[in-house]
Amino acid sequence: MKMVPRTEIDVKEEKRANTLFFVLFYLTFILFDTYRFGIRPILNPDSEPIIFSSLTMMITYIVIYIVTAALFPLSIYLSKKRKPFVVKYLYFFVFLAGALTTEMVEYFGTNNVYASGSPVELVFVLFSPIFVDRMYYFVIVLGLVCKYAFMGIFTFSPEVAFPIMLLLLFSIVTFIILNRFISYLKAVEKSYEHSSHNEKLAFIGRIATGVTHEIKNPLTSLKGFVQLQEDEQKYNQKHSKIMLQELDRLTIIVNDLMILGKPQAINLKSIDLYECVRYVVDLFQQEAENKQITIYTHFEERGQVLGDAGRIKQVLLNILKNAIEAMPSGGEVRIKLVKDQEWTTVQIIDRGIGIPEKDIPNLEKAFYSTKENGTGLGLMVSYKIIEEHRGKIRIDSEVGVGTTFSLCFPTPN
């Protein structure tokens, strides 16, 4: 039989079921014995408490109480070791062994009519569905039936037929409830799988739509410039530079998707943030000029940090691209470095349309974008990359005033 691996959810649910079982078991166990050995002798002074009938019986009960009490810390230990599934069996077999032992001691060598049993047995039977485990249910029922059958043979008492019949009656009701629980859980699981499948399809559709839109723009631009080159039948350096920038945009999109689809370990080494910024600024310089945007850089010193230059450039590309798109009527972008003993921070400041405060916490989520045709991939990837560098992104923005993206990297010692 193939064993099904236990999930974290299974373990948590079993722990919860164990907690409810502990309360029911110990409450019933304590109340029943309090009645047997404390209240009943008071109500019927002529009856002698069973526990005091002999030294052997007294010692047997003391041992059983000690073992039963010791089960609780042992169960907690097993739960911490991710083995809560054995706890219910442990309680049952200890109880069964204790019940058989006390009953055999009580009736051995006597002609007393067998009349025993405990409401704790009903707790095992009636509340077994909380574990949603058919095997445990059958172990409970078979174990208790065998116990009564054995005591019937041991005491030569046919009276055990009644508790067996009563036990089987309760077991049938419990079995129906257990099957209803299992059927319900299977229906919920099937519904969840169906919902998860639809969500995955929707996720793929959103990726396809976003990627199609992102790739279509630079491809359209490249096609236009290629046709323009053919019509003019001469080399135009300005057109070629724009075409190269569009190819770089395609590379950025592909890199974003690769990071999302197949995360790779980064190789942290000392890099110069100034060189990364200069590379990105040069890449966007022509596009910025075309949109009447001026990019200023201000680095009082070169910022050395531990990181992956390629990935940091990708973050700078995504954010500078957003800054330029946030100023459709032109303006300026300022990039500066702020450094202290703890953080080395690159700030990208635009004077664009700004971001509503309510949208800022959602920017790191997949496919969330404040732009009408945005995919939400760029910023999500940027957050992921900065997190891999043990850094953080801070966003300060005001609608109609502009936005400041602060990329914070740990300052090397």
Side-chain angles (χ1 to χ4, degrees):
M1 181 178 175
K2 186 177 179 181
M3 297 297 293
V4 179
R6 305 290 190 180
T7 66
E8 190 66 29
I9 295 177
D10 293 331
V11 173
K12 288 182 179 179
E13 289 302 318
E14 187 75 6
K15 287 180 179 179
R16 291 173 182 170
N18 282 340
T19 301
L20 177 58
F21 173 75
F22 293 154
V23 174
L24 295 171
F25 175 83
Y26 283 108
L27 185 62
T28 307
F29 184 84
I30 293 171
L31 289 178
F32 179 62
D33 279 2
T34 299
Y35 169 77
R36 280 201 299 172
F37 306 133
I39 299 176
R40 189 169 67 179
I42 295 175
L43 298 176
N44 186 8
D46 296 332
S47 66
E48 181 185 8
I50 299 173
I51 193 172
F52 299 125
S53 60
S54 68
L55 180 62
T56 303
M57 181 63 74
M58 186 181 296
I59 293 174
T60 301
Y61 270 105
I62 290 173
V63 171
I64 288 174
Y65 289 148
I66 292 173
V67 173
T68 303
L71 283 178
F72 187 70
L74 177 60
S75 301
I76 295 176
Y77 171 78
L78 290 172
S79 294
K80 289 182 178 179
K81 292 294 182 180
R82 295 180 57 82
K83 296 180 180 179
F85 302 94
V86 303
V87 171
K88 55 182 180 284
Y89 291 101
L90 184 63
Y91 268 84
F92 176 69
F93 287 123
V94 168
F95 169 80
L96 194 62
L100 273 173
T101 303
T102 55
E103 290 178 12
M104 288 173 66
V105 171
E106 179 183 352
Y107 289 100
F108 180 73
T110 69
N111 294 321
N112 296 336
V113 177
Y114 180 79
S116 188
S118 169
V120 177
E121 296 170 356
L122 292 180
V123 171
F124 280 108
V125 175
L126 294 178
F127 291 94
S128 59
I130 65 174
F131 295 103
V132 198
D133 187 338
R134 283 199 182 101
M135 181 180 292
Y136 177 66
Y137 164 82
F138 286 119
V139 168
I140 293 291
V141 174
L142 185 61
L144 291 175
V145 169
C146 289
K147 173 222 162 186
Y148 280 107
F150 175 79
M151 288 306 300
I153 297 171
F154 182 79
T155 60
F156 302 100
S157 176
E159 282 77 6
V160 297
F162 178 72
I164 289 178
M165 290 176 61
L166 193 63
L167 176 66
L168 292 176
L169 178 63
F170 281 116
S171 299
I172 291 172
V173 175
T174 303
F175 186 70
I176 294 172
I177 296 173
L178 175 61
N179 278 336
R180 291 297 297 167
F181 279 10
I182 293 174
S183 298
Y184 173 74
L185 288 176
K186 285 184 177 179
V188 171
E189 183 179 353
K190 186 176 181 180
S191 175
Y192 173 78
E193 289 177 354
H194 181 71
S195 175
S196 178
H197 177 69
N198 289 339
E199 188 176 339
K200 288 178 181 177
L201 291 178
F203 182 79
I204 293 171
R206 290 166 70 183
I207 289 181
T209 302
V211 171
T212 299
H213 178 268
E214 287 291 302
I215 291 179
K216 183 179 179 180
N217 288 340
L219 285 178
T220 302
S221 179
L222 284 170
K223 181 180 178 181
F225 281 112
V226 168
Q227 290 176 340
L228 188 60
Q229 295 272 37
E230 288 183 351
D231 293 340
E232 295 179 352
Q233 294 186 348
K234 66 178 181 179
Y235 173 75
N236 188 313
Q237 185 176 1
K238 183 178 180 181
H239 293 170
S240 297
K241 190 171 184 178
I242 296 175
M243 291 166 67
L244 288 173
Q245 289 176 346
E246 294 300 295
L247 289 171
D248 285 331
R249 286 178 61 189
L250 287 172
T251 302
I252 293 171
I253 296 169
V254 172
N255 288 339
D256 284 348
L257 293 172
M258 288 181 65
I259 287 178
L260 288 176
K262 190 177 180 181
Q264 298 176 351
I266 60 173
N267 181 24
L268 297 179
K269 58 183 180 180
S270 181
I271 60 172
D272 189 345
L273 285 177
Y274 176 79
E275 293 297 331
C276 294
V277 171
R278 285 310 320 167
Y279 171 85
V280 174
V281 170
D282 290 343
L283 199 62
F284 277 99
Q285 193 65 55
Q286 185 63 51
E287 182 178 349
E289 290 177 2
N290 293 341
K291 295 182 178 181
Q292 297 181 336
I293 295 173
T294 306
I295 302 176
Y296 298 97
T297 59
H298 178 69
F299 277 43
E300 293 182 355
E301 57 180 314
R302 289 178 176 265
Q304 295 290 329
V305 298
L306 293 176
D308 183 309
R311 295 198 180 189
I312 290 178
K313 288 176 183 177
Q314 188 172 349
V315 174
L316 293 169
L317 280 166
N318 287 331
I319 295 177
L320 186 54
K321 174 175 174 288
N322 287 341
I324 291 173
E325 291 177 350
M327 296 183 291
S329 302
E332 64 179 39
V333 177
R334 295 187 177 274
I335 305 175
K336 61 181 182 178
L337 182 138
V338 179
K339 186 175 181 180
D340 57 33
Q341 292 184 347
E342 186 176 2
W343 299 101
T344 299
T345 304
V346 175
Q347 293 183 334
I348 301 176
I349 308 165
D350 68 60
R351 294 291 177 260
I353 58 177
I355 304 171
E357 185 177 354
K358 64 180 180 63
D359 291 330
I360 293 177
N362 298 315
L363 292 179
E364 60 181 299
K365 296 179 181 178
F367 303 109
Y368 188 91
S369 177
T370 58
K371 295 179 289 186
E372 183 179 352
N373 297 319
T375 63
L377 289 175
L379 277 180
M380 187 190 72
V381 170
S382 299
Y383 271 97
K384 183 176 179 61
I385 291 173
I386 296 300
E387 183 180 327
E388 289 174 345
H389 284 75
R390 298 189 292 275
K392 57 186 179 180
I393 295 180
R394 188 172 65 248
I395 303 174
D396 300 296
S397 186
E398 184 176 347
V399 176
V401 177
T403 303
T404 299
F405 272 86
S406 299
L407 310 178
C408 307
F409 302 91
T411 301
N413 296 326

